[in-house]
Amino acid sequence: QVQLVESGGGSVQAGGSLRLSCAASGYTYSTYCMAWFRQAPRKGREGVATINSDGNTRYADSVKGRFTISKDNAKNTLFLQMNSLKPEDTATYYCAADRTYCSVSAWWGYNSWGQGTQVTVSS
């Protein structure tokens, strides 16, 4: 059974940085596609970034140049380094995993999700 647990959320001022982590267990972590999504109040779930089993990454246009997705296969952990944060980045951030599906634009194909971690950016 795949389990994903996010951590690292919090409150920062605009221009600040946060690093999110997602600890994974229950599957062969290195072979899966991993992703970060976010959902702001009264908005739909939005893709942020993905990293596949080869380490190739993709980003939403809204975060390119500011966010970096990475993973540590030895520790079964996914990261999202968020720099130059803006108030519009405020949302609950979720990590997701799937053995075959890997899209930054569509969330519905991922089979496993974490519980989310809140990020609040004040102006």
Side-chain angles (χ1 to χ4, degrees), residues 28-59:
T28 306
Y29 175 80
S30 62
T31 64
Y32 274 54
C33 176
M34 304 295 296
W36 287 101
F37 285 80
R38 65 187 182 185
Q39 188 164 14
R42 298 175 298 279
K43 291 189 177 181
R45 192 161 294 192
E46 175 190 23
V48 175
T50 62
I51 184 167
N52 67 11
S53 58
D54 293 329
N56 297 315
T57 59
R58 298 181 69 180
Y59 296 90

Side-chain angles (χ1 to χ4, degrees), residues 12-93:
V12 295
Q13 291 190 328
S17 298
L18 281 174
R19 190 191 196 202
L20 305 184
S21 299
C22 174
S25 62
Y27 66 104
T28 306
Y29 175 80
S30 62
T31 64
Y32 274 54
C33 176
M34 304 295 296
W36 287 101
F37 285 80
R38 65 187 182 185
Q39 188 164 14
R42 298 175 298 279
K43 291 189 177 181
R45 192 161 294 192
E46 175 190 23
V48 175
T50 62
I51 184 167
N52 67 11
S53 58
D54 293 329
N56 297 315
T57 59
R58 298 181 69 180
Y59 296 90
D61 288 343
S62 59
V63 306
K64 281 181 181 176
R66 300 188 297 122
F67 291 10
T68 302
I69 188 172
S70 62
K71 61 178 180 174
D72 185 334
N73 288 337
K75 296 182 178 179
N76 286 3
T77 303
L78 176 73
F79 302 101
L80 184 68
Q81 178 66 44
M82 305 186 295
N83 299 328
S84 302
L85 282 161
K86 303 175 181 180
E88 51 263 45
D89 294 318
T90 295
T92 300
Y93 283 70

Side-chain angles (χ1 to χ4, degrees), residues 105-123:
S105 60
W107 60 267
W108 47 84
Y110 291 90
N111 283 322
S112 302
W113 291 85
Q115 82 290 348
T117 186
Q118 178 66 38
V119 172
T120 303
V121 185
S122 58
S123 58

